[in-house]
């Protein structure tokens, strides 16, 4: 049976008991009949005005909510955007409960299917009431007339005036001529306001009654229809009117307990019971801004769920270590698409609204791969180069800084491969001295770490150990850059190109920078390959992490952990042949954790996500890029096994002989990689430098660019422009330490030209420097 046939049988053909359905005798009087005839003629002429098309009204409807869906259209997040009104999606008439349709017509327009927009019988009755023939006035607005008012927007006081009613009537006649009855009823069901801020039957059903509109039973439908007459009426009044509607349908027994039911339903806060899992609240808040829109993201709902559950499960296991927050992000290496974005641990977090994917946190050892990559690209070191893991005391201001390894021990000479894979701190600081903090900071900026708030000189050598703050999104994209052979590119969070451009325009801060990052090469592909090979070497990392850690995945992966000062931040970043996964664990408020390292904090989550990504298709190691050479290296005098090693072409070596490391001996000033700037406005005598070293009581001598410096020259050396190599030599020709540094500025000849007393020394090339 069609909806129309059902309504006709229930409403029109049933005996009507309400007084409004009875044709009053007053309508037969000549004055009223003449008035009605005049009104009809005028209104018919007024219907020439245009009315909106039904399809346009439906297309312009906007839910108060917006949806974020994944790449396959599965709902990730639903958020309310419009705070002024509560609307849900458009409701088709066939999806409205038949019980409600019957109750609606009984309550609002019994002759809806018979009239042409104006119920002249009801108009006559209303006029009779106005003429004093009846004690109780009644309304004559049909559903079509009410819809005409709703199409004009919110009802205002003028709508209840005679002119307002006349306008509604004229529009109603036009609607009836251009719309079908079903379209009129469907539009009304969606546009009619109910209780409070609720508009439309779907909003009332789902938010107030807690069920779908098609499932409303007779009692609920009667209450809903009764609310149209008095949206904010007390529960007892709503229940009385609903009982009248039930009685007309021969459902009088259902009136029992109806008032109590009305009190419960109407006192219930309007809330949607079927919001689902709400998988991406943080990304949803950043992408959803317009009511009624659906944004198709690059996320994968299944992977998002895996990442969220892995994070929460692990944090529950370590809750006794004072850790409650975390974040996970997964990137597609090739496209830069974000496949998972978990901004917090949800109910486990003390600040679940904080998006830890974009919150700046101290990076810890996660910056070391970029430091070693830079040094390898500059050909300062190779993966086989030996670095000193011995006590180091660096002057800082009026004090000193002594970097220490995580295990508080030293290992003597170690290869760069072992130092990076095992995350040793002291060798990293020595490499940082080679490249200088300023150059390293610029390199990090090139890798997209734009959250660095200061230049490299602000951090000093602690930048090598991750003293700077970065975001998880930036760091993950930087590791993705390593995975892509040193080529950086933007990330994407929405699927369509036009939507991506819109997301860039509306984003801010670190997200905007990541979305708009230009594609370019920031590191020699050969150096990126060597770093990735080191990070995937489980043998090299065994010194710190053991042979069977969570970092040892079943298929190929390059991974690095990191822990910030005082155990406040814990990281695990890594990539496979297809994906980059980043995990942060800590506390949103910055409180320190207890006994949580990168391997124990973030690594279990990282390993779980990587296993889920490659459960069906193992990761495969990429082939070497042009410019790389593989050679066998033999080490002498150090605990490094003979092995096949990757080099940048031209830097390969067959044998590395370790020189003995004298503890407590080394060059303090200048430091490796230092850039010294000359100032022509300062007298030369005030620009001389004193070369400083720790000698442990040994007799030492200085050698600059292959020439020995006299003690007096070492005590007051004038820095000549150019690159220099300074060596500290012990007895014989044994090298105790060496540094490379650069002097920039005007040529010393130009400086001395302004000081005649120095001409003779300039011509003799002061300080034993050969000149360049």
């Amino acid at each position: 049976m069609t909806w129309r046939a059902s309504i006709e049988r229930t409403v029109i053909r049933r005996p009507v008991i309400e007084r409004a359905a009875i044709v009053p005798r007053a309508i037969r009087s000549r004055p009223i009949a003449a008035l009605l005839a005049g009104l009809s003629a005028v209104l018919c002429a007024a219907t020439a005005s245009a009315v909106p098309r039904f399809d346009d009204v439906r297309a312009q409807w906007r839910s108060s909510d917006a949806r974020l869906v994944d790449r396959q259209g599965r709902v990730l997040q639903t958020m309310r955007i419009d705070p002024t009104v509560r609307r849900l999606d458009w409701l088709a008439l066939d999806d409205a409960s038949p019980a409600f349709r019957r109750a609606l017509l009984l309550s609002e327009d019994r002759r809806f299917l018979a009239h042409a927009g104006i119920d002249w019988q009801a108009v006559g009755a209303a006029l009779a009431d106005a003429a004093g023939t009846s004690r109780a006035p009644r309304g004559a607005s049909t559903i079509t007339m009410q819809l005409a008012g709703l199409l004009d927007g919110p009802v205002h006081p003028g709508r209840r005036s005679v002119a307002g009613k006349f306008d509604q009537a004229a529009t109603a006649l036009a609607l009836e001529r251009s719309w079908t009855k079903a379209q009129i009823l469907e539009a009304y069901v969606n546009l009619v306001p109910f209780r409070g801020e609720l508009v439309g039957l779907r909003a009332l059903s789902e938010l107030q009654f807690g069920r779908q509109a098609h499932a409303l039973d007779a009692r609920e439908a009667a209450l809903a229809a009764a609310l149209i007459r008095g949206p904010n009426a007390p529960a007892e009044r709503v229940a009385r009117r609903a009982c009248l509607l039930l009685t007309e349908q021969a459902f009088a027994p259902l009136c029992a307990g109806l008032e109590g039911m009305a009190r419960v339903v109407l006192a219930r806060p309007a809330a949607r019971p079927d919001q689902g899992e709400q998988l991406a609240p943080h990304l949803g808040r950043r992408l959803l801004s317009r009511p009624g829109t659906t944004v198709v993201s690059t996320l994968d709902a299944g992977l998002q769920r895996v990442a969220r559950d892995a994070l929460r499960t692990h944090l529950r296991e370590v809750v006794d270590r004072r850790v409650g927050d975390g974040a996970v992000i997964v990137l597609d290496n090739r496209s830069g698409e974000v496949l998972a974005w978990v901004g917090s641990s949800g109910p486990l977090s003390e600040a679940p609204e904080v998006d830890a994917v974009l919150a700046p946190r101290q990076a810890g050892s996660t910056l070391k791969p970029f430091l070693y990559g830079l040094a390898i690209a500059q050909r300062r070191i190779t993966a086989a180069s030996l670095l000193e893991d011995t006590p180091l005391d660096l002057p800082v201001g009026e004090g000193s800084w002594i970097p220490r390894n995580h295990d508080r021990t030293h290992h003597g000479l170690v290869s760069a491969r072992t130092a990076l894979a095992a995350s040793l701190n002291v060798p990293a600081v020595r490499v940082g001295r080679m490249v200088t903090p300023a150059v390293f900071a610029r390199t990090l900026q090139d890798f997209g770490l734009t959250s660095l708030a200061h230049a490299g000189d602000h951090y000093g050598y602690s930048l090598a150990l991750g003293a700077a703050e970065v975001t998880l999104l930036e760091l993950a994209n930087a590791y993705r850059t390593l995975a892509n052979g040193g080529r950086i590119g933007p990330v994407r969070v929405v699927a369509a190109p036009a939507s991506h451009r819109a997301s860039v325009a509306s984003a801010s801060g670190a997200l905007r920078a990541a979305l708009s990052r230009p594609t370019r090469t920031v590191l020699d592909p050969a150096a990126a390959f060597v770093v990735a090979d080191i990070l995937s070497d489980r043998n090299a990392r065994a010194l710190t992490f053991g042979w069977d850690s969570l970092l040892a995945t079943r298929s190929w992966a390059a991974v690095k952990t990191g822990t910030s000062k005082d155990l406040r931040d814990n990281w695990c970043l890594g990539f496979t042949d297809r994906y980059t996964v980043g995990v942060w664990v800590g506390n949103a408020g910055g409180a320190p954790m207890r006994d949580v390292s990168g391997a124990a904090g973030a690594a279990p989550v990282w390993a779980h996500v990587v296993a889920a990504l490659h459960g069906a298709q193992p990761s495969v190691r990429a082939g070497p890029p042009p410019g790389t050479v593989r050679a066998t290296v033999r080490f002498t005098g150090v605990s490094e096994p003979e092995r096949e090693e990757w080099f940048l072409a031209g830097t390969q070596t067959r044998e590395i002989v370790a020189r003995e490391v004298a503890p407590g001996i080394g060059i303090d000033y200048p430091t490796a990689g230092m850039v010294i700037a000359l100032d022509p406005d300062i007298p030369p005598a005030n620009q001389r430098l004193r070369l400083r070293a720790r000698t442990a009581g040994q007799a030492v001598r200085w050698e600059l660019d292959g020439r020995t410096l006299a003690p007096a020259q070492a005590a007051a050396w004038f820095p000549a422009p150019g690159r220099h190599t300074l060596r500290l030599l012990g007895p014989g020709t044994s090298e105790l330490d060496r540094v490379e540094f650069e002097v920039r500025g005007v040529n010393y000849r130009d400086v001395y030209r302004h000081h005649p007393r120095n001409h003779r020394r300039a011509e003799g090339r002061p300080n034993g420097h050969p000149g360049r």
Side-chain angles (χ1 to χ4, degrees), residues 19-34 36 120-129 131-134 138:
R19 190 163 57 94
I22 304 174
V23 181
R25 292 181 181 179
I27 199 172
R28 301 171 188 171
S29 65
R30 290 182 181 179
I32 294 178
L36 291 179
W120 294 110
Q121 185 175 343
V123 170
L127 291 174
D129 290 347
T133 59
S134 172
R138 72 194 76 193

Side-chain angles (χ1 to χ4, degrees), residues 111-295:
R111 285 173 289 278
F112 172 73
L113 298 177
H115 63 64
I118 301 175
D119 186 349
W120 294 110
Q121 185 175 343
V123 170
L127 291 174
D129 290 347
T133 59
S134 172
R135 291 179 301 173
R138 72 194 76 193
S141 290
T142 62
I143 284 179
T144 313
M145 292 173 64
Q146 293 181 49
L147 176 60
L150 295 172
L151 290 174
D152 285 344
V155 177
H156 50 79
R159 268 287 174 216
R160 297 190 177 275
S161 65
V162 174
K165 288 294 183 181
F166 186 86
D167 184 53
Q168 280 187 3
T171 304
L173 292 176
L175 284 172
E176 291 278 351
R177 290 187 175 184
S178 56
W179 291 23
T180 67
K181 287 289 187 179
Q183 290 173 336
I184 292 171
L185 196 58
E186 181 173 316
Y188 180 82
V189 165
N190 282 280
L191 271 61
V192 66
F194 285 96
R195 196 170 188 84
E197 61 182 1
L198 302 179
V199 172
L201 179 62
R202 186 188 290 274
L204 178 72
S205 301
E206 297 186 18
L207 304 179
Q208 199 73 61
F209 288 94
R211 62 173 63 204
Q212 297 294 318
H214 66 81
L216 292 178
D217 60 25
R219 282 156 55 99
E220 293 165 334
L223 288 172
L227 284 171
I228 297 176
R229 291 279 183 98
N232 297 307
E236 57 271 18
R237 188 182 304 171
V238 175
R240 283 198 301 270
R241 176 152 185 80
C243 184
L244 289 175
L245 297 176
L246 289 171
T247 300
E248 288 204 45
Q249 300 174 71
F251 295 148
L254 297 181
C255 292
L258 190 61
E259 183 175 335
M261 176 182 175
R263 291 183 185 277
V264 172
V265 170
L266 300 182
R268 184 184 301 156
R272 195 168 189 171
D274 65 336
Q275 290 280 24
E277 294 181 275
Q278 300 299 285
L279 287 170
H282 300 89
L283 187 59
R285 281 194 292 271
R286 297 187 179 277
L287 296 183
L288 302 179
S289 60
R290 292 189 300 144
T293 58
T294 296
V295 176

Side-chain angles (χ1 to χ4, degrees), residues 36-58:
L36 291 179
L39 282 174
S40 177
V42 173
L43 289 174
C44 286
T47 57
S49 61
V51 295
R53 297 172 59 249
F54 170 77
D55 290 340
D56 293 338
V57 172
R58 183 172 57 185

Side-chain angles (χ1 to χ4, degrees), residues 325-629:
D325 290 284
V328 183
I329 192 165
V330 180
L331 303 178
D332 183 283
N333 289 343
R334 179 177 299 178
S335 66
E337 293 179 341
V338 178
L339 303 180
W341 180 307
V342 180
S344 80
S345 57
L348 305 179
S349 173
E350 294 182 354
E353 301 301 315
V354 174
D355 188 353
V357 171
L358 295 175
R361 314 290 298 200
Q362 200 174 69
S365 294
T366 57
L367 300 186
K368 290 175 182 175
F370 312 108
L371 174 65
Y372 281 83
L374 173 61
I376 292 172
Q378 292 181 338
R379 298 174 180 253
R380 295 180 181 273
I381 63 171
T382 70
S385 295
L386 294 180
L387 303 172
E388 294 181 19
D389 184 15
T390 55
L392 183 61
D393 189 344
L394 299 174
V396 177
E398 298 180 355
S400 64
W401 176 51
I402 303 175
R404 293 185 174 88
N405 293 322
H406 179 72
D407 59 4
R408 302 286 177 171
T409 63
H410 297 90
H411 305 87
L413 288 174
V414 295
S415 68
R417 173 177 289 272
T418 299
L420 174 56
S423 196
L424 301 179
N425 288 339
V426 177
V429 173
R430 294 187 185 276
V431 176
R433 294 176 69 189
M434 294 181 192
V435 303
T436 75
V439 174
F440 183 35
R442 290 196 295 269
T443 298
L444 293 176
Q445 293 275 355
D446 290 340
F447 270 90
L449 301 180
T450 56
S451 290
L452 269 69
H454 307 282
D457 292 340
H458 171 84
Y459 303 105
Y461 297 122
S462 65
L463 185 60
L465 305 185
E469 290 188 338
V470 298
T471 69
L472 179 59
L473 176 62
E474 292 173 333
L475 202 51
N477 199 37
Y479 273 76
R480 170 180 165 247
T481 301
L482 290 175
N484 289 335
R487 190 166 179 80
I488 194 172
V491 299
R492 299 177 63 91
V493 291
V494 291
S499 299
H500 173 72
R501 290 190 293 271
S503 68
V504 173
S506 62
S508 61
L511 178 58
R512 183 184 181 91
L515 294 176
S516 58
R517 182 75 51 198
T519 300
R520 63 191 183 98
T521 298
V522 296
L523 183 67
D524 185 335
F529 173 81
V530 173
V531 169
D533 186 70
I534 294 173
L535 296 180
S536 67
D537 190 342
R538 65 183 64 190
N539 295 326
R541 76 168 72 100
L543 179 65
T544 297
F545 299 96
W547 297 98
D548 191 25
S549 71
L550 288 168
L551 306 180
T553 54
R554 299 185 64 180
S555 59
W556 186 88
V559 58
K560 183 74 186 70
T561 62
T563 304
S564 68
K565 184 180 179 181
D566 298 329
L567 298 180
R568 298 180 186 275
D569 304 285
N570 202 251
W571 306 83
C572 188
L573 279 294
F575 51 87
T576 65
D577 61 345
R578 295 182 59 191
Y579 309 105
T580 296
V581 179
V583 180
W584 169 83
V585 165
N587 292 298
M593 300 171 283
R594 183 172 62 85
D595 193 26
V596 178
S597 64
V605 181
W606 180 88
H608 186 98
V609 174
V610 169
L613 286 167
H614 289 282
Q617 184 176 352
S619 174
V620 179
R621 181 193 304 269
T628 54
V629 175

